[in-house]
């Protein structure tokens, strides 16, 4: 049978035409899909800029469905879920990203960090801790360590908090010596006296300029009945941390009375008072005065320097006035007005308290309470 060359002549152009049509159909489909995906993405971005988060989430979900391999859309969607408080959905998005095998190392670390933030915001501290630990050695290590530090402070896990703070200090993220000293002091509060003193001594070594370890060591010494050792501890502290004298003035005066060191203590406290006219230092000086007239004179001296309602109330309590029958009424009114002025105020959030805190109960900031009363600020 002879082969007809005419079929070949007709077949080649036909095959070419069919191939061209098929390629045009594929190209058209790709263009349609590419137009649809960016359209949904930009629509979601527009909703996000207008703070319409519900509509933005719907648009991003539509974009992700059309192009499930786009990691940036997944990140945007996960962050939106977290901001809205939908932590379970955020976790699912970021876990899906981590399960993909086509992610680069950088994107995988980013997804791991985002997942840790999801757990942290949801209050799942154990799972957040595990996720953050996996970021060691990555570009997110510093952020992970800071988040771990917050977790350990929140759960009052002071040994682990000290470990993380030392790592941050070693990596050059700041000076965390003061934090470590606080953690050791917090840990000492739950220990027997001998172990507590060892931890406090370590805290003094870590942060020689910190006042808290010395104050708490002196408290332990006084509790054990060793007033001499307490007086010496506080005397050294007055030299190394002079700004802390208002916080230690009262126990210092009491230890001085118990060890017959009134004159030396008065000298130290008067020098501190000249540096800063502190109400606490004033009260300690008055307590060391054997003569009532000299004590009253100190209140008047303070009033000449500072218009203090607290000092006026203290002075009036020991004075004999002409209208003595009204003395208790006036004294009560002054005490009532002066009471709020004797509080301490956090410099970070403004939280006020009757006692001085090393860590603010309101905002959890460390060393945010000045060693001065509200009236002195």
């Amino acid at each position: 049978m002879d082969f007809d060359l005419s079929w070949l002549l007709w077949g080649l152009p036909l095959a070419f035409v069919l191939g061209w049509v098929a390629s045009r159909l594929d190209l058209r489909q790709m263009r349609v899909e590419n137009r649809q995906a960016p359209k949904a993405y930009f629509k979601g971005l527009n909703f996000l800029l207008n703070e319409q988060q519900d509509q933005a989430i719907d648009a991003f979900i539509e974009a992700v469905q059309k192009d499930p391999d786009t990691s940036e859309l997944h990140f945007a969607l996960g962050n939106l879920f977290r901001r809205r408080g939908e932590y379970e959905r955020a976790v699912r998005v970021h876990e899906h990203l981590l399960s993909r095998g086509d992610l680069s190392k950088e994107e995988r670390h980013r997804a791991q960090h985002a997942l840790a933030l999801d757990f942290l915001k949801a209050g799942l501290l154990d799972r957040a801790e595990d996720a953050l630990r996996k970021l060691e050695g990555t570009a997110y290590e510093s952020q992970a360590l800071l988040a771990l530090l917050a977790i350990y402070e929140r759960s009052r896990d002071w040994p682990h908090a000290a470990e993380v703070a030392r790592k941050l200090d070693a990596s050059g993220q700041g000076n965390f010596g003061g934090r470590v000293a606080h953690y050791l002091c917090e840990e000492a509060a739950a220990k027997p006296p001998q172990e507590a003193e060892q931890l406090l001594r370590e805290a003094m070594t870590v942060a020689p300029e910190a006042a808290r370890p010395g104050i708490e060591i002196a408290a332990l010494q006084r509790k054990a009945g060793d007033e001499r050792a307490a007086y010496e501890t506080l005397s050294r502290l007055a030299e190394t941390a002079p700004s802390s004298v208002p916080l230690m003035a009262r126990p210092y005066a009491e230890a001085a009375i118990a060890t017959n060191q009134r004159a030396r203590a008065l000298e130290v406290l008067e020098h501190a008072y000249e540096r800063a006219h502190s109400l606490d230092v004033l009260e300690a000086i008055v307590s060391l005065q054997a003569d009532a007239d000299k004590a009253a004179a100190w209140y008047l001296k303070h009033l000449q320097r500072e218009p203090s309602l607290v000092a006026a109330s203290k002075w009036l309590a020991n004075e004999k006035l002409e209208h003595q029958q009204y003395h208790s009424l006036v004294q009560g009114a002054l005490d009532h007005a002066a009471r709020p002025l004797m509080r301490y105020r956090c410099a970070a959030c403004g939280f006020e308290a009757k006692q001085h805190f090393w860590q603010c109960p309101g905002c959890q900031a460390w060393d945010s309470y000045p060693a001065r009363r509200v009236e002195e600020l």
Side-chain angles (χ1 to χ4, degrees):
M1 181 178 177
D2 295 334
F3 181 73
D4 191 353
L5 291 176
S6 63
W7 285 103
L8 183 61
L9 294 175
W10 281 103
L12 286 174
L14 182 61
F16 175 78
V17 170
L18 291 175
W20 180 83
V21 170
S23 66
R24 295 297 296 175
L25 288 174
D26 288 342
L27 185 60
R28 183 181 178 186
Q29 180 65 26
M30 288 175 61
R31 285 176 177 172
V32 169
E33 290 176 355
N34 288 336
R35 280 199 302 268
Q36 286 177 343
K39 182 179 179 182
Y41 175 77
F42 286 118
K43 187 164 73 171
L45 188 60
N46 184 54
F47 284 133
L48 190 59
L49 291 173
N50 290 316
E51 297 185 358
Q52 296 174 279
Q53 293 187 7
D54 289 335
Q55 294 90 330
I57 285 175
D58 292 338
F60 283 134
I61 289 175
E62 179 186 349
V64 167
Q65 288 173 344
K66 290 175 179 175
D67 189 4
D69 294 329
T70 305
S71 59
E72 284 298 332
L73 288 179
H74 284 78
F75 282 119
L77 194 57
N79 291 338
L80 271 176
F81 284 142
R82 190 193 312 127
R83 287 178 60 184
R84 283 177 51 84
E86 298 181 48
Y87 303 120
E88 291 184 8
R89 299 179 77 181
V91 166
R92 284 202 299 271
V93 169
H94 294 129
E95 284 182 338
H96 169 70
L97 275 172
L98 286 171
S99 68
R100 284 171 47 178
D102 60 338
L103 277 187
S104 66
K105 183 186 292 186
E106 290 76 15
E107 286 183 324
R108 188 168 299 280
H109 295 160
R110 181 182 172 188
Q112 183 67 40
H113 181 249
L115 181 63
L117 293 181
D118 296 337
F119 290 140
L120 196 59
K121 290 289 186 180
L124 302 173
L125 301 186
D126 291 343
R127 298 183 71 181
E129 180 184 356
D130 291 338
L132 290 166
R133 287 287 186 184
K134 293 176 182 177
L135 291 168
E136 187 174 353
T138 72
Y140 295 92
E141 182 176 15
S142 297
Q143 298 175 52
L145 287 174
L146 288 170
L148 280 170
L149 194 64
I151 288 175
Y152 293 137
E153 285 187 4
R154 186 172 168 182
S155 58
R156 304 185 69 80
D157 186 347
W158 305 119
H160 279 107
E163 175 195 342
V164 172
R166 287 189 175 99
K167 285 183 179 179
L168 284 166
D169 196 88
S171 64
Q173 296 300 314
N175 183 5
F176 286 82
R179 285 278 192 100
V180 174
H182 279 304
Y183 301 152
L184 291 169
C185 291
E186 293 287 345
E187 190 179 353
K191 300 290 185 181
Q194 189 173 357
E195 292 181 41
E197 186 168 351
Q198 288 176 354
L199 289 168
L200 293 172
R201 297 285 181 193
E202 183 182 349
M204 291 180 72
T205 304
V206 170
E209 73 288 350
R212 184 181 182 183
I215 291 174
E216 296 192 1
I217 284 175
L220 282 177
Q221 291 166 338
R222 294 193 68 202
K223 190 174 180 180
D226 194 347
E227 295 284 0
R228 172 70 62 181
Y231 172 77
E232 291 173 357
T233 298
L234 294 175
S235 295
R236 287 193 297 270
L237 187 60
E239 296 177 2
T240 58
S243 61
S244 68
V245 172
L247 298 177
M248 49 163 272
R250 186 182 297 275
Y252 181 58
E254 292 171 355
I257 292 170
T259 55
N260 296 318
Q261 297 289 335
R262 286 174 182 263
R264 175 58 185 155
L266 268 173
E267 184 181 339
V268 172
L269 291 172
E270 286 175 11
H271 180 70
Y273 179 80
E274 291 302 323
R275 188 170 53 250
H277 304 149
S278 165
L279 288 168
D280 290 288
V281 175
L282 173 66
E283 282 293 291
I285 291 172
V286 169
S287 70
L288 289 171
Q289 300 293 335
D291 190 333
D293 291 336
K294 287 185 178 180
W298 269 98
Y299 287 126
L300 292 174
K301 180 180 180 180
H302 187 80
L303 286 169
Q304 289 171 352
R305 297 182 174 187
E306 306 283 345
S308 169
L309 190 61
V310 174
S313 174
K314 298 285 187 180
W315 172 80
L316 185 63
N318 298 310
E319 289 298 307
K320 299 291 184 182
L321 302 181
E322 182 179 351
H323 300 286
Q324 191 62 30
Q325 67 273 27
Y326 303 119
H327 185 277
S328 61
L329 297 176
V330 175
Q331 185 66 51
L334 278 174
D335 289 343
H336 179 74
R339 195 173 296 119
L341 302 177
M342 288 297 290
R343 295 173 180 166
Y344 294 96
R345 179 186 295 156
C346 174
C349 71
F351 187 91
E352 293 186 3
K354 292 181 180 179
Q355 69 182 79
H356 181 274
F357 285 102
W358 300 105
Q359 184 184 26
C360 176
C363 65
Q364 307 302 310
W366 290 97
D367 292 320
S368 60
Y369 276 87
R372 299 173 68 82
R373 308 283 181 167
V374 167
E375 190 183 57
E376 304 170 73
L377 298 177

